[in-house]
Amino acid sequence: DWIPPTAKKAKKYDIEVLKGKPLSLKETMTILQGEGALNIRVLNMRNHSSMAAYMLFVTGSSLNHEKRIGDTL
């Protein structure tokens, strides 16, 4: 089973996280690139959806890697 990284092992990003405030695309991309995400694709949804400005598709090198990326975000 996969175990999430501990606070000591987790990478630190200089991003201010506030409750109720979503991450910007730039902040999200910083985290994805820092975690080594692969095949990052961004779709601009502003003209297609009122729920989201962007939709991101990301892969990882393994299932554990993908879980770590998701947990970090």
Side-chain angles (χ1 to χ4, degrees):
D1 284 328
W2 181 81
I3 300 171
T6 63
K8 291 180 183 177
K9 291 183 180 179
K11 292 181 182 179
K12 302 289 182 182
Y13 297 96
D14 190 27
I15 297 172
E16 185 177 5
V17 178
L18 301 173
K19 186 176 181 178
K21 178 185 171 273
L23 294 173
S24 70
L25 180 60
K26 183 178 178 181
E27 293 167 336
T28 303
M29 292 298 291
T30 298
I31 294 169
L32 290 173
Q33 291 168 348
E35 292 297 321
L38 306 172
N39 303 315
I40 301 170
R41 300 291 182 257
V42 180
L43 297 179
N44 186 342
M45 300 297 292
R46 289 184 179 181
N47 296 328
H48 304 286
S49 173
S50 60
M51 287 180 43
Y54 300 97
M55 182 182 296
L56 286 86
F57 294 91
V58 181
T59 60
S61 58
S62 67
L63 182 58
N64 287 344
H65 184 211
E66 291 172 353
K67 287 179 180 180
R68 187 183 77 226
I69 291 168
D71 286 345
T72 302
L73 287 175

